[in-house]
Amino acid sequence: MRLLECVMLLSVGVALGALTLRAGAPRLRRAFTGEAVGAAIVQAVVEGTRWQLAPAYLVMIALVVLALGARAEPDGAARRRLGVVRVAAATLAILVATALPALVPVPRFPAPAGPYPVGTVTFVLEDRAREDAWEPGRPRRLLAQVWYPAEPGAARAQRAPYLPEWRQSGPEIARAFGLPSFFLNHLEHASSHSHEGAGFAPSVGRAPLLIMSHGFRLTRSFSTTTAEALASRGYVVVGIDHTGDAAAVAFPGGGTVVS
């Protein structure tokens, strides 16, 4: 899980633990609940939301309602039974809040082991002499991405997204695998180890060129780690989305072709 997600879920756990305390600590409960809400707001703004965190947000809403409510505590055996119920409920709520984010995290991919940082650039190939069978009235178009050995300074630049056109093509890719359109939205937050538009490594000179073809109903992005591993060792790798065969191809400026 991402750092701020961990901080938020830890804050939720502490706030749930505070609810199991005696009734004489309402201020403490409200303080921990406020910290959890603040951590959730920061996490959502900085890292972005994803559906796997929905249970944690719902638990937080319940925390706010319970923290603001003031009820008289029973005495004796009834109070002890209520304490046991609170501990069990808090434990269950912690499991509900953390299970999905832990089981389906935003992935972190292995860094390429070669001596060069990796640069990348995406562009459209267009054959104006041929009509695209998948888009009548348009010339045949292919979306291509190149990974290449980059100059040393590229390693300090911001990393490119793992799936650059995710907002356009992500829901269609999920549907292609029989999943709800939102199911893979956590991949939107994943980063590659490539750097967009970085300069080519001058020490490489002429580099071998490899053409990478994705499998049926996939896209070029699913082979990013392989392309990066090769580029970090001095290869230039060109991955092409097969329009009409890839799960979804999202062209710059709008227009998504689904297989």
Side-chain angles (χ1 to χ4, degrees):
M1 287 186 291
R2 297 173 291 176
L3 175 61
L4 294 182
E5 287 181 2
C6 294
V7 171
M8 181 193 71
L9 293 174
L10 178 61
S11 299
V12 170
V14 172
L16 286 168
L19 284 177
T20 66
L21 300 176
R22 60 186 178 83
R27 291 184 180 178
L28 190 61
R29 295 177 184 177
R30 290 175 186 145
F32 283 131
T33 298
E35 288 183 0
V37 171
I41 293 173
V42 172
Q43 185 277 322
V45 171
V46 176
E47 292 182 335
T49 60
R50 56 191 184 101
W51 71 267
Q52 292 89 351
L53 293 172
Y57 297 141
L58 292 175
V59 168
M60 203 168 310
I61 292 172
L63 274 171
V64 172
V65 173
L66 292 172
L68 294 178
R71 296 183 179 181
E73 288 283 318
D75 294 324
R79 181 175 180 176
R80 289 192 292 272
R81 286 194 296 271
L82 180 59
V84 172
V85 171
R86 283 176 172 168
V87 170
T91 302
L92 178 61
I94 290 173
L95 292 175
V96 169
T98 59
L100 279 175
L103 292 173
V104 191
V106 174
R108 293 183 178 180
F109 302 101
Y116 300 102
V118 179
T120 188
V121 64
T122 303
F123 54 91
V124 177
L125 299 171
E126 188 174 280
D127 183 357
R128 294 185 176 275
R130 182 165 53 135
E131 184 181 57
D132 197 321
W134 295 92
E135 296 182 287
R138 281 186 176 272
R140 175 64 172 169
R141 297 186 297 169
L142 296 173
L143 188 62
Q145 184 172 359
V146 180
W147 294 265
Y148 54 88
E151 57 189 2
R156 297 187 293 271
Q158 184 176 358
R159 292 188 292 171
Y162 173 67
L163 294 167
E165 306 89 21
W166 184 254
R167 288 188 180 276
Q168 292 173 253
S169 61
E172 300 297 342
I173 292 174
R175 292 190 190 100
F177 289 96
L179 301 171
S181 60
F182 63 84
F183 193 82
L184 299 176
N185 82 325
H186 61 296
L187 295 179
E188 178 186 350
H189 306 293
S191 296
S192 70
H193 292 277
S194 306
H195 307 280
E196 185 73 34
F200 191 85
S203 61
V204 173
R206 298 180 65 182
L209 176 64
L210 299 176
I211 305 297
M212 183 177 67
S213 180
H214 62 73
F216 178 64
R217 300 296 292 277
L218 299 178
T219 72
R220 72 186 192 283
S221 296
F222 285 89
S223 299
T224 294
T225 52
T226 300
E228 289 178 339
L230 291 165
S232 73
R233 290 171 169 83
Y235 292 88
V236 173
V237 182
V238 180
I240 301 174
D241 281 339
H242 306 166
T243 307
D245 173 64
V249 182
F251 289 100
T256 301
V257 181
V258 182
S259 64

